[in-house]
Amino acid sequence: GAAVKGFYQSLYTSGGYGGAVDIGFACRPLPSVSLGAIARNLGVAMYGQGLEQMPIEAGIGGSLVVGPVNAVLDVILPVHDAVSLRAGAEYKPVPELAIRLGYRTGPEDLGTLGVLSGLTAGLGVGVGPLSLDYAITPYGKLGIAHRIGLAAKLSPKGSGSIRLKVVDGTSMLPLAAGVTTTGVISHK
């Protein structure tokens, strides 16, 4: 997979803008286990009158899904900084909603910025092929970072899924039901 991103930053007395590309690979050796690798921030930023290289990093990680909980652990290898670890959990009470909590070490000095600067939290909402994600991360004296993401899943023509819930018309309680389809549904 790949992602293209653009940004604008305002840091105390200066600001900048730029763009970058992330490139990654993922595999699923077992139904509940995923492994992956990524090269992140391949790009440049403009601060003042000069170009600056983005903080390029590589990472490897894995996840384990148990019911509605997805636990992850990543090792991040920045080009010009110390190795850091990132761990988190995502709880999905329904497929359309994700509640996330995580913690990361470095590359910031947690002793200087405070232990809480490693904490992150967020929410994700998905409807059909679209998803909206929000995350908040405290950075001690530097303030709080808010991240908002919008993603769309691109799938081959004709693929997709339908989610049905059969309920009693009076009590609205779920009922056991079987659904059978025949043929192909086509939209022109």
Side-chain angles (χ1 to χ4, degrees):
V4 177
K5 55 189 173 182
F7 69 90
Y8 169 78
Q9 285 184 329
S10 177
L11 300 171
Y12 190 57
T13 60
S14 66
Y17 59 91
V21 175
D22 297 346
I23 299 171
F25 168 78
C27 67
R28 186 170 293 188
L30 299 171
S32 62
V33 175
S34 295
L35 302 173
I38 189 168
R40 188 178 293 126
N41 297 327
L42 305 172
V44 294
M46 173 69 92
Y47 285 99
Q49 299 299 320
L51 286 175
E52 299 285 333
Q53 185 174 355
M54 295 285 291
I56 297 172
E57 61 187 20
I60 56 171
S63 72
L64 174 64
V65 177
V66 180
V69 177
N70 183 11
V72 297
L73 178 64
D74 295 333
V75 178
I76 306 301
L77 311 158
V79 171
H80 300 293
D81 219 329
V83 172
S84 63
L85 297 175
R86 297 176 185 174
E90 174 185 78
Y91 172 63
K92 288 184 129 181
V94 293
E96 298 81 13
L97 176 66
I99 302 165
R100 301 175 180 117
L101 187 63
Y103 196 83
R104 61 176 168 52
T105 65
E108 299 84 10
D109 180 359
L110 295 179
T112 303
L113 296 178
V115 174
L116 289 180
S117 67
L119 188 63
T120 62
L123 291 171
V125 177
V127 178
L130 298 176
S131 65
L132 177 66
D133 296 295
Y134 170 77
I136 185 168
T137 305
Y139 279 100
K141 296 176 187 176
L142 298 175
I144 296 176
H146 300 272
R147 295 187 173 106
I148 298 173
L150 179 63
K153 292 181 183 175
L154 305 175
S155 61
K157 184 178 179 181
S159 69
S161 63
I162 297 173
R163 182 174 172 217
L164 299 173
K165 182 176 183 181
V166 179
V167 296
D168 179 78
T170 305
S171 68
M172 298 305 288
L173 293 173
L175 296 174
V179 178
T180 303
T181 60
T182 59
V184 176
I185 299 171
S186 176
H187 296 283
K188 294 185 180 193

